């Protein structure tokens, strides 16, 4: 475990459940990306963890922001970024969202209807909006045929639309594609990026404005389960560099962007909870923990899916579910005898279970349990209002080892 046990124990004196984010691990992941992808600019996907200390830390390293709501635009402005570093891409933007964000972010239109509404609003505001289009390409993440999607504008539709449009208050200056998260195969990712570069050439051919950016979306995964093979970032970096070198001959000034959330923060976060009760029922031992489903929902969802799926390894469905063994449960106790137990939470629902028949040290009230991989899609996804429990706090350990709330 990379977290300092003393810090965990110290904070557990004050809080029964909390998140702990470690800045040194965030910075380490960022450095890896910068080193292996020198010709790419990274955007941090704020939706995965919008904690303000995390935002400040990531942006201080030169990342831009991938935001998915007008609210996230506000958060990112507060964290010090300017319009040119904020890319707002989400389906279903309302007219209000567009009005709120048009002057503070680069809007990525998700539909033709949205482009038309941006035009109307830009005209009313007497401005020319430089926007991107999110494209649903005619290829899939794995390189097969394109598929219907609620995200983006189909490639052929976009090409026809661009050829016919004569908007006065809009310039299309880039494209965005995002098809999937959590890929661990460098070859699949490299081919996907290469396909996007080719797509951007097809669209650029009909677009009157030169593209200033190509946003290739996310996709880089992390090892969650003990048996997962980490993404070979060195190989991916080399493959991307090769594709980009050729691309740069024709597009020397276009910014190439990749979005990333979990790659930099998921493993930098842990969730800490405490034993609040224990009991034996018909021979089964239950260890009751504070705020599990309602504090960090993903481990409970993994159990739920394991129960309902006929498959041994059900397919991931991000960001709610990665795999049934995506989290490690580490007790800060070495009491014996070891026991086989179910780890459950303190909610009035039988679905509040995070592990079944797991071997743990002997656990009793007050003992501390750590859940790993809690830096992304964790606090932001969890139903903390459920049952009016005291909510877990989010703590941030900075590079000087100071703990901030
Ligand atoms: C458009 C877009 N970009 C980036 C991300 C971030 O993905 P990840 O955290 O896997 O990097 C997501 C996640 O859902 C997304 O929808």
């Amino acid at each position: 475990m990379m977290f300092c046990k003393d810090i965990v124990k110290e904070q557990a004196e004050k809080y029964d459940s909390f998140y702990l984010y470690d800045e040194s691990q965030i910075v380490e992941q960022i450095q890896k990306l910068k080193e292996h992808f020198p010709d790419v600019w990274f955007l941090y996907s704020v939706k995965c963890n919008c904690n303000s200390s995390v935002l400040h830390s990531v942006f201080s390293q030169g990342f831009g922001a991938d935001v998915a709501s007008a609210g996230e635009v506000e958060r990112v402005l507060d964290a010090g970024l300017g319009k040119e570093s904020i890319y707002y891409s989400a389906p279903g933007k309302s007219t209000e969202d567009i009005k709120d964000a048009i002057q503070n972010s680069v809007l990525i239109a998700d539909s033709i209807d949205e482009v038309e509404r941006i035009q109307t609003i830009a005209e009313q505001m007497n401005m020319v909006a430089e926007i991107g289009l999110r494209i649903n390409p005619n290829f899939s993440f794995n390189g097969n045929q394109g598929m219907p999607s609620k995200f983006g504008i189909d490639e052929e539709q976009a090409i026809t639309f661009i050829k016919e449009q004569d908007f006065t208050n809009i310039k299309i200056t880039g494209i965005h594609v995002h098809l999937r998260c959590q890929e661990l195969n460098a070859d699949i990712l490299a081919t996907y990026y290469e396909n996007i570069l080719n797509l951007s050439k097809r669209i650029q051919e009909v677009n009157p404005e030169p593209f200033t950016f190509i946003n290739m979306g996310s996709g880089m995964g992390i090892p969650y389960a003990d048996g997962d093979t980490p993404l070979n970032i060195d190989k991916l970096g080399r493959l991307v560099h090769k594709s980009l070198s050729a691309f740069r001959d024709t597009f020397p000034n276009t910014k190439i962007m990749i979005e990333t959330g979990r790659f930099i923060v998921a493993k930098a976060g842990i969730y800490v909870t405490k034993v609040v009760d224990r009991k034996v029922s018909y021979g089964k031992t239950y260890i009751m923990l504070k705020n599990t489903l309602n504090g960090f929902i993903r481990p409970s969802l993994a159990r739920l899916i394991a129960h309902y799926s006929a498959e041994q390894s059900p397919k991931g469905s991000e960001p709610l579910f990665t795999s049934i063994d995506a989290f490690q449960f580490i007790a800060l106790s070495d009491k014996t005898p070891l026991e086989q137990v179910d780890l459950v939470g303190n909610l009035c629902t039988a679905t509040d279970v995070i592990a079944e028949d797991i071997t743990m040290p002997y656990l009793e009230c007050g003992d501390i349990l750590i859940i790993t991989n809690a830096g992304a899609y964790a606090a932001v996804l969890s139903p903390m209002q459920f049952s009016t429990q005291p909510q877990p706090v989010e703590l941030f350990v900075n590079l000087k080892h100071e703990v901030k709330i």
Side-chain angles (χ1 to χ4, degrees), residues 45 47 66 134 176 178 181-182 218 259-262 377:
S45 300
K47 63 176 86 69
D66 152 38
R134 179 156 173 182
H176 175 214
H178 168 84
C181 295
Q182 185 50 23
S218 178
E259 298 169 330
T260 182
R262 77 186 70 212
Y377 308 107

Side-chain angles (χ1 to χ4, degrees), residues 210-228:
F211 283 158
T212 57
F213 71 90
I214 292 161
N215 179 349
M216 307 201 287
S218 178
M220 290 185 194
I222 50 148
Y224 279 91
D226 285 334
D228 286 347

Side-chain angles (χ1 to χ4, degrees), residues 352-384:
D352 192 5
V353 177
I354 60 168
E356 288 162 282
D357 297 321
I358 184 174
T359 303
M360 299 298 285
Y362 185 85
L363 288 169
E364 56 193 342
C365 277
D367 283 339
I368 298 167
L369 184 101
I370 290 173
I371 309 178
T372 60
N373 299 330
Y377 308 107
V380 289
L381 281 185
S382 301
M384 293 187 186

Side-chain angles (χ1 to χ4, degrees), residues 3 7 11 15 18-27 30 44 49-61 264-265 268-270 375 393-405:
F3 275 87
I7 293 183
Q11 297 306 319
Y15 309 106
F18 57 96
Y19 284 91
L20 196 61
Y21 308 126
D22 178 3
E23 183 171 27
S24 67
Q25 292 185 55
I26 296 175
V27 172
I30 290 178
Y44 173 61
N49 184 334
C50 59
N51 175 272
S52 76
S53 301
V54 170
L55 296 184
H56 277 98
S57 171
V58 172
F59 298 141
S60 72
Q61 301 293 320
I264 56 173
V265 295
I270 54 170
V393 293
E394 291 178 73
L395 304 173
F396 182 82
V397 187
N398 68 17
L399 297 175
K400 293 184 208 147
H401 306 290
E402 295 158 343
V403 181
K404 293 199 285 178
I405 192 157

Side-chain angles (χ1 to χ4, degrees), residues 212-266:
T212 57
F213 71 90
I214 292 161
N215 179 349
M216 307 201 287
S218 178
M220 290 185 194
I222 50 148
Y224 279 91
D226 285 334
D228 286 347
T229 308
L231 174 64
N232 186 338
I233 203 79
D234 186 48
K235 179 176 185 187
L236 183 60
R238 276 185 278 113
L239 293 170
V240 168
H241 182 68
K242 199 166 153 216
S243 306
L244 282 180
S245 306
F247 185 77
R248 284 262 173 253
D249 291 343
T250 1
F251 295 88
N253 300 318
T254 309
K255 268 185 284 191
I256 304 296
M257 289 139 45
I258 291 180
E259 298 169 330
T260 182
R262 77 186 70 212
F263 189 87
I264 56 173
V265 295

